[in-house]
Amino acid sequence: LQTMSGNEDDWLALKPQEPSPSQCCGSGCKPCIYDVYEKELAQWERAKARQDKSLLMEKKEQSSNSELNPDTFTAFSISSVEQLTEDTYQYKFELPGNSSLRLSLGQHIVLRGVVNGLEVQRAYTPISPGNAEGYFEVLMKCYEAGLMSQYIKTWKEGDVVFWRGPFGGFPYRPNKHGELLMLASGTGLAPMLPILQSITDDEEDETFVTLVGCFPTFDKIYVKPLLQDLARYWNIRIFYVLSRETSLEKLPWSYQEHTYTGRLSEDLMKTILNSCRRKPFVLICGSSAFNEDMSRYLKAAGVEENSCFVF
């Protein structure tokens, strides 16, 4: 009997751990971490019933390759860290052998972090083009009390972190929509950038784009040089809405004409919609409060729900 209970303990030690709610990023990933757990649990139960531990090994082999995978986390090494504002960083990750993540537009990937023994998962959208070779880049905002932020703040060049994916995404097709109206708050800019870059890279794509970037102050606008480059294209317009700026006088003159102070209100939304050159399809990305406000303003302005996509 002694050996039997020892064996039980062995099997219990191999049993997959049920995820805690903090591990689910809430972005509707397929598979969700809970789906992965169910799959691993079923695998463990099969192996235990047959008393064959080798049935658990396939999982280990799968995660040793360095390709992004929706089911298992893969290690990627950080090749550079750039601080953009006091709480926002741009991280560059290495992809082995000049491979590419091959993300479709606006897809996100899920990061796993461990903070004080608690595992946390969060979704981020790479801002690098989906076909970038040998690297990918992610824009991340760190919050004072955020669990994941405490983990991210410790990162330095050469560290290894774990990602899985890709998930979600916006099924963009060139020239499908006459105009895209992009409403982005803060790091909600991330899923918009690969779509913008795919439009400017494709000479056949004549989609108009109006991007509205909402930030607290002028200094907090991310990736200004990239946005300035994109705004030079004939079919791209970029507006800024700065909630904590009170006057435009201190801004560089090239920004004054396209910047509003205060919040993106229902009235301002109507003004922007009226300035669109064609009937827009709207993409929204920001905090849940921002997303709800924008959806409400659009509805009030008569934009149908099937003409909106929320990341």
Side-chain angles (χ1 to χ4, degrees):
L1 251 176
Q2 193 55 47
T3 55
M4 218 16 236
S5 65
N7 189 17
E8 275 298 297
D9 290 345
D10 277 0
W11 279 102
L12 277 177
L14 292 169
K15 187 177 178 177
Q17 292 268 285
E18 181 168 5
S20 66
S22 72
Q23 288 173 255
C24 176
C25 69
S27 299
C29 306
K30 296 266 181 288
C32 167
I33 180 151
Y34 285 102
D35 301 332
V36 175
Y37 164 70
E38 296 291 333
K39 188 173 149 192
E40 288 179 358
L41 187 63
Q43 192 183 4
W44 176 81
E45 283 166 351
R46 270 199 310 276
K48 184 172 182 281
R50 296 191 194 162
Q51 293 289 304
D52 180 359
K53 287 180 186 157
S54 72
L55 293 173
L56 295 173
M57 293 327 280
E58 62 187 87
K59 192 177 88 191
K60 302 286 179 288
E61 286 157 27
Q62 190 185 12
S63 56
S64 63
N65 70 7
S66 50
E67 285 210 352
L68 190 66
N69 178 317
D71 298 301
T72 46
F73 281 95
T74 303
F76 293 95
S77 122
I78 298 172
S79 56
S80 75
V81 176
E82 188 187 346
Q83 184 163 1
L84 300 182
T85 68
E86 69 213 36
D87 56 3
T88 311
Y89 298 81
Q90 189 168 328
Y91 295 95
K92 194 171 191 175
F93 298 88
E94 238 169 85
L95 287 172
N98 259 357
S99 57
S100 113
L101 276 189
R102 295 194 293 277
L103 297 189
S104 59
L105 293 171
Q107 283 195 308
H108 64 268
I109 54 181
V110 172
L111 170 69
R112 179 178 70 192
V114 178
V115 187
N116 312 330
L118 180 69
E119 188 179 303
V120 198
Q121 298 193 16
R122 292 282 178 274
Y124 295 93
T125 307
I127 59 169
S128 40
N131 56 359
E133 292 180 356
Y135 77 96
F136 65 96
E137 287 177 308
V138 184
L139 191 63
M140 293 175 157
K141 182 174 170 129
C142 290
Y143 297 91
E144 206 47 57
L147 276 175
M148 187 61 97
S149 301
Q150 291 170 34
Y151 168 59
I152 292 170
K153 279 179 193 159
T154 66
W155 289 358
K156 47 194 188 312
E157 211 172 299
D159 284 356
V160 168
V161 301
F162 291 85
W163 294 97
R164 73 182 178 99
F167 303 106
F170 168 63
Y172 178 73
R173 288 210 317 276
N175 299 311
K176 182 184 174 186
H177 305 287
E179 180 152 2
L180 287 178
L181 171 59
M182 299 177 168
L183 306 173
S185 168
T187 46
L189 193 59
M192 310 299 182
L193 293 174
I195 298 172
L196 272 166
Q197 286 173 306
S198 83
I199 292 172
T200 57
D201 286 350
D202 179 356
E203 287 183 4
E204 306 287 301
D205 194 343
E206 300 190 341
T207 306
F208 281 116
V209 180
T210 298
L211 168 66
V212 183
C214 301
F215 299 92
T217 59
F218 181 72
D219 298 337
K220 296 258 170 82
I221 299 174
Y222 311 130
V223 294
K224 284 194 191 85
L226 173 60
L227 292 172
Q228 289 287 74
D229 279 347
L230 290 167
R232 292 194 181 100
Y233 285 84
W234 65 274
N235 49 341
I236 310 253
R237 297 188 304 173
I238 301 184
F239 292 115
Y240 299 99
V241 180
L242 305 177
S243 57
R244 290 198 210 128
E245 295 280 5
T246 47
S247 125
L248 298 175
E249 284 169 19
K250 293 198 188 79
L251 303 194
W253 66 266
S254 61
Y255 282 86
Q256 293 184 11
E257 182 186 354
H258 295 285
T259 303
Y260 298 93
T261 59
R263 293 199 163 280
L264 178 44
S265 62
E266 197 176 316
D267 285 347
L268 181 51
M269 178 76 86
K270 284 184 177 147
T271 304
I272 289 168
L273 281 167
N274 288 335
S275 77
C276 287
R277 294 143 292 190
R278 297 174 178 158
K279 189 179 170 189
F281 186 91
V282 190
L283 301 179
I284 306 170
C285 188
S287 65
S288 47
F290 176 84
N291 296 349
E292 282 163 24
D293 286 346
M294 296 307 116
S295 302
R296 206 171 59 245
Y297 300 161
L298 288 164
K299 199 174 171 182
V303 176
E304 290 112 33
E305 248 172 72
N306 60 4
S307 297
C308 300
F309 180 89
V310 180
F311 283 98

